[in-house]
Amino acid sequence: MTMTSPKQASRRSAQTGVALLEVLVSILIFSFGLLGLIGLQARAISFSVDAEDRNRAALLANEIVSLMWLNQSPTVPAADLDAWKTRVAAPGSGGLPGGEGSVDVSGKTANVTITWQAPAANSGSRLTTHVELP
């Protein structure tokens, strides 16, 4: 049987609860790291959605520019232009949220502008394509 001295007993009672404190601090540090990872994931998703919208806008602009090249004129028939504007404004069928398309013709040049409002963005986005036909 071992006897503990009063000095050893006071040292042991002074360290009571230190392990619990260490666990609480490590949980706090882990929580901050987890919150940081969640924030990074949210930003990555936001950038991915923005890139997808920009890609769709470029494809829609390419579609109307292709019609111009096929017609060999910067003017597009009104029925085709209206159908294109409807497609730009319809997110369910390959368009953009809050999308609006316009074509400004001046001589043999045209500016195709597509604007849209991303759901998570505070400001709208815009893509402009300049076309010069020979």
Side-chain angles (χ1 to χ4, degrees), residues 35-56:
L35 284 174
L37 286 175
I38 290 170
L40 284 174
Q41 182 68 26
R43 294 217 41 190
I45 289 171
S46 173
F47 287 140
S48 176
V49 168
D50 185 50
E52 182 182 350
D53 286 347
R54 290 185 184 282
N55 187 35
R56 270 192 279 161

Side-chain angles (χ1 to χ4, degrees), residues 17-32:
V18 171
L20 181 61
L21 186 61
E22 289 174 352
V23 169
L24 289 174
V25 168
S26 65
I27 288 174
L28 180 69
I29 292 171
F30 178 75
S31 298
F32 280 130

